[in-house]
Amino acid sequence: MRMTLRTALLLGAMVGTATLTMEDAHALEKGKGKTELQKNKPFPVIQKGKGEAVAQKGKVEPVARTSSSRSSASRGKVEPIAGKDKALPPTRHGMAAPLARQDKSGVRVAESASVARIGKYASPEASGGLTHTFQKKNLTKVLAGHVDLWQDPGRLAVQSGSALVIAQDGGEPLYEKNANAIVPVASITKLMTAMVVLDSMPNLQSPITISDEDVDYLRGSRSRLGVGTVITRETALLLALMSSENRAANALGRHYPGGLPAFVAAMNRKAASLGMSSSHFEDPTGLNSNNVSTAHDLARMVAAAHHYPLIREFSTTPGVRTEVKGRELDFHNTNQLVSSPTWEIGLSKTGYIQEAGKCLVMQARVADKPVVIVLLDSAGKQTRIGDANRIKRWMESASVTGKLPTRV
């Protein structure tokens, strides 16, 4: 009896164990099937605006994150990068449209194309899904190069080597940087040339002839006033101030009573009379690097030159067409800002030689205040223009907030 009971119990235990093992095996197999099913199942397509990317035909289409959009908007109203079925902003020659920013007055301002260029757009198909990375990289570079556009009104970053912003009637400078450094001034010299010519009370309609003595053999600069060209003294003065014509300026000096040596002596006497104690001139063009001055001295010269109506008119003329040896030629102002509707410029002169860098002096009304702006030794092609625009924004921003620009 006991033997039979033991046998029954042993058989029951074996059957229960086998049953449990089979159930576990079925569960394990079922779980494995689910795992394989999930592994082979494609990822769900994420709707636009709710994910980072859409997997389609092996290509990744960039979709902007919501948080990324907010971050970009706070830095200058930059729209998020569009998806495949969303059009990018209007472009010209493949370049991105100008960015918009919002200044402290709440006015949205479209930045210039040079600031806003983000780089050529490449479609996701052509770039293998790298469009977002490419544009973000270039945008970061642009913003880093123009970070001063978002600076506080009290801060001003000027790239020129020497700079000065001062009220036209003098007083304490609003801004200065190396303003007492004695440096070559290039064609800024021509403002002094014009004053000395006009002080001699010449007949502006009398003809003067361009000769071989007026040719620039020092630097080889080009001119469309060929040897033998006959123009009036007035035309020569206009071309010297507006287009920085070296041969015209030198011819004006040669036709001065006593010739070129007397003219240069008169230039230095005029500088001394204006209190330009750190200035010296050796030619009427500025091609000679021994023509030197400081930003402070040049501010005095600009303020004095502004009293001459012809200098004001000629230096701010956008362009003219004149006859040269029987041909009509167009001449343009070397300062593009005189044609800008956002500037009110009363006098202007640019200059450049290698030793001086890019130079610009202006009398202008900025934030309803007449000022003299001097920018010397700029390295980049547009640095002096960029500096002038930064100064203007800085003064206008201070005016909007009711605070006068403080001396920096």
Side-chain angles (χ1 to χ4, degrees):
M1 187 71 177
R2 290 180 180 175
M3 203 60 178
T4 303
L5 182 60
R6 281 182 188 175
T7 303
L9 290 173
L10 181 59
L11 288 172
M14 291 177 64
V15 170
T17 303
T19 302
L20 180 62
T21 305
M22 289 297 292
E23 290 177 354
D24 290 343
H26 282 299
L28 182 60
E29 187 67 26
K30 185 177 182 180
K32 183 178 180 182
K34 287 184 179 180
T35 303
E36 292 295 331
L37 180 62
Q38 290 179 353
K39 185 180 296 184
N40 295 326
K41 184 179 180 180
F43 288 111
V45 177
I46 302 172
Q47 294 180 356
K48 294 180 181 179
K50 295 185 179 180
E52 295 183 28
V54 177
Q56 189 178 30
K57 296 182 181 179
K59 299 289 181 80
V60 178
E61 179 182 349
V63 179
R65 295 186 183 181
T66 304
S67 60
S68 181
S69 301
R70 287 199 298 267
S71 176
S72 297
S74 65
R75 286 196 299 266
K77 303 296 182 184
V78 181
E79 297 297 327
I81 297 175
K84 186 175 182 181
D85 60 344
K86 294 183 179 180
L88 286 173
T91 59
R92 184 178 66 179
H93 300 301
M95 307 306 290
L99 301 175
R101 68 179 177 86
Q102 185 170 357
D103 62 20
K104 293 188 179 294
S105 65
V107 180
R108 284 174 60 83
V109 181
E111 296 298 340
S112 64
S114 62
V115 176
R117 286 177 184 148
I118 300 176
K120 293 184 178 180
Y121 174 75
S123 66
E125 290 80 6
S127 61
L130 298 179
T131 305
H132 181 267
T133 303
F134 174 79
Q135 291 202 358
K136 183 176 180 181
K137 180 179 178 182
N138 282 273
L139 177 59
T140 302
K141 183 178 180 180
V142 169
L143 296 183
H146 299 273
V147 67
D148 54 282
L149 297 179
W150 288 271
Q151 286 183 343
D152 294 333
R155 299 173 62 191
L156 176 62
V158 170
Q159 306 302 318
S160 300
S162 297
L164 179 66
V165 182
I166 191 169
Q168 185 179 341
D169 56 1
E172 288 294 314
L174 300 176
Y175 177 89
E176 60 180 323
K177 174 184 178 182
N178 299 326
N180 290 311
I182 301 175
V183 293
V185 295
S187 287
I188 307 300
T189 296
K190 293 183 176 74
L191 286 178
M192 180 62 75
T193 297
M195 285 192 288
V196 172
V197 168
L198 294 173
D199 285 350
S200 67
M201 304 294 289
N203 179 358
L204 293 177
Q205 300 308 314
S206 63
I208 61 175
T209 303
I210 303 298
S211 75
D212 188 65
E213 297 178 62
D214 303 317
V215 177
D216 173 23
Y217 291 109
L218 176 64
R219 300 181 184 275
S221 60
R222 295 188 299 175
S223 171
R224 289 187 293 168
L225 300 179
V227 174
T229 299
V230 178
I231 54 177
T232 65
R233 188 179 270 109
E234 183 180 56
T235 299
L237 188 62
L238 169 63
L239 297 181
L241 290 172
M242 181 188 71
S243 297
S244 207
E245 248 295 342
N246 292 313
R247 293 184 185 182
N250 200 74
L252 287 169
R254 279 196 310 105
H255 287 81
Y256 185 81
L260 205 53
F263 186 82
V264 172
M267 291 176 71
N268 286 299
R269 284 197 304 271
K270 181 72 172 180
S273 71
L274 295 176
M276 299 172 63
S277 57
S278 299
S279 302
H280 177 72
F281 299 96
E282 291 191 5
D283 87 316
T285 66
L287 291 169
N288 192 321
S289 60
N290 290 328
N291 286 14
V292 295
S293 187
T294 67
H296 275 292
D297 277 6
L298 292 181
R300 291 174 178 269
M301 185 174 76
V302 169
H306 190 259
H307 290 294
Y308 295 74
L310 271 183
I311 295 180
R312 294 199 304 269
E313 177 187 346
F314 289 173
S315 70
T316 57
T317 299
V320 295
R321 176 172 293 177
T322 187
E323 186 175 317
V324 176
K325 286 189 171 182
R327 296 175 54 202
E328 286 191 344
L329 299 178
D330 292 333
F331 292 84
H332 302 281
N333 202 302
T334 54
N335 180 9
Q336 66 197 59
L337 294 180
V338 301
S339 300
S340 172
T342 63
W343 276 90
E344 187 179 345
I345 300 174
L347 181 147
S348 165
K349 190 69 196 79
T350 64
Y352 173 76
I353 57 173
Q354 186 175 359
E355 296 89 337
K358 300 278 185 176
C359 304
L360 173 65
V361 297
M362 294 191 299
Q363 184 281 340
R365 181 170 289 272
V366 181
D368 204 32
K369 184 180 182 66
V371 295
V372 172
I373 300 173
V374 180
L375 300 167
L376 306 174
D377 191 20
S378 296
K381 184 176 182 181
Q382 293 294 321
T383 302
R384 57 188 175 185
I385 302 299
D387 280 347
N389 283 323
R390 280 185 279 273
I391 289 168
K392 183 173 181 288
R393 284 193 295 267
W394 172 65
M395 292 186 65
E396 289 173 343
S397 180
S399 176
V400 167
T401 58
K403 298 179 180 179
L404 292 176
T406 54
R407 182 179 179 185
V408 179

